[in-house]
Amino acid sequence: MILPSPLAHGRLVRRYKRFFADVALDDGTAVTAHCPNTGTMAGVAEPGSEVWLSHSDNPKRKLAYTWELVRPTGAAALVGINPMAANRIVAEAFENGVARPEGYDTVRREVPYGTGSRVDFLLTGAGRPDCYVEVKNVHLMRTPGLAEFPDAVTARGTKHLGELATVKQAGHRALMIFLIQREDCDRFAVAADIDPAYGTALDVALAAGVEVLCLACRVELTDISVARTIEFAGSKRRQAP
């Protein structure tokens, strides 16, 4: 996925009210950027971190800048923080034949399913069961090398796991993709201590036959793309019942 060019560089002053980020640009200008990430952004929203913003000339926008990338304090790797980019990155990977399950030649997006939901992708192929694909954006890393999701309670994510389990039980194929917008991780785990309900829902989905695919990205100042598959390590730091 090609990022808008050029990106404005600066330092994060603060992120607040979920959708706002105050940034000091290199030229000394102070701007307030839209933060598209509604999670806690633990570890990637520390004041003083290097950040990169895209700029829009749309006069109808209240905030011209959007926060796209961060290099957390003390880290070498860039991290993509915009969850709206996740489906675009996966769609491009499918188009390029990367990570797309074998035998599926048609990819549809935002197809209605479940109870008032739209699946991120529906893959079809001759002689193959329909494959329902949900994508979750990942940026959390609390342990070096270990990416985790979620970084906050996600009732919507839990609902999606239940719907994937249902379509699998109906005879279709169901795939949960965790897209890690950083390349300094070699393992992925569900942060069940942050959201125990999500951890339980994933256990149920796995038992029903839902597949999990963890994809780490190459993140550059110009583009973000799927780089490799990494290990799924299950649920970590599960709270005792």
Side-chain angles (χ1 to χ4, degrees):
M1 182 195 74
I2 303 298
L3 290 166
S5 179
L7 294 176
H9 176 263
R11 296 279 177 174
L12 181 65
V13 177
R14 62 169 182 155
R15 183 258 185 147
Y16 57 103
K17 295 182 180 179
R18 293 199 302 172
F19 299 108
F20 301 98
D22 289 342
V23 175
L25 299 180
D26 288 350
D27 64 3
T29 303
V31 301
T32 298
H34 170 61
C35 177
N37 195 311
T38 60
T40 65
M41 296 184 66
V44 295
E46 298 301 318
S49 298
E50 283 188 275
V51 297
W52 285 262
L53 315 176
S54 60
H55 183 270
S56 172
D57 294 323
N58 185 348
K60 295 183 179 180
R61 284 189 49 151
K62 293 183 178 180
L63 299 174
Y65 288 96
T66 298
W67 185 4
E68 303 286 353
L69 305 175
V70 62
R71 178 176 283 122
T73 302
L78 294 170
V79 180
I81 64 92
N82 190 343
M84 304 301 291
N87 282 12
R88 290 175 58 195
I89 295 168
V90 171
E92 288 186 5
F94 283 167
E95 290 172 6
N96 297 330
V98 177
R100 186 173 66 193
E102 185 177 353
Y104 291 90
D105 51 18
T106 301
V107 179
R108 296 168 58 198
R109 300 180 64 170
E110 298 293 326
V111 177
Y113 88 127
T115 306
S117 296
R118 290 180 177 270
V119 73
D120 290 324
F121 298 96
L122 177 61
L123 311 183
T124 57
R128 303 275 180 170
D130 290 351
C131 183
Y132 291 76
V133 182
E134 287 285 357
V135 178
K136 295 303 177 191
N137 183 70
V138 181
H139 57 262
L140 177 64
M141 185 180 75
R142 296 182 291 180
T143 301
L146 179 66
E148 295 181 89
F149 179 89
D151 72 343
V153 172
T154 172
R156 184 169 180 266
T158 298
K159 177 187 177 186
H160 286 163
L161 286 173
E163 288 172 334
L164 286 179
T166 298
V167 298
K168 174 61 181 177
Q169 291 165 343
H172 304 295
R173 189 173 177 183
L175 176 61
M176 181 73 247
I177 293 180
F178 293 101
L179 184 80
I180 298 99
Q181 281 200 61
R182 56 192 304 162
E183 52 187 322
D184 54 357
C185 297
D186 54 19
R187 310 177 318 283
F188 168 83
V190 169
D193 60 317
I194 293 176
D195 189 349
Y198 190 85
T200 298
L202 182 61
D203 291 342
V204 171
L206 291 172
V210 174
E211 303 165 58
V212 168
L213 180 62
C214 309
L215 302 174
C217 290
R218 179 183 61 83
V219 183
E220 303 286 350
L221 295 178
T222 54
D223 64 283
I224 304 175
S225 60
V226 171
R228 66 191 191 282
T229 301
I230 64 173
E231 175 192 354
F232 174 50
S235 298
K236 296 298 182 183
R237 290 183 287 277
R238 180 70 59 85
Q239 290 180 334

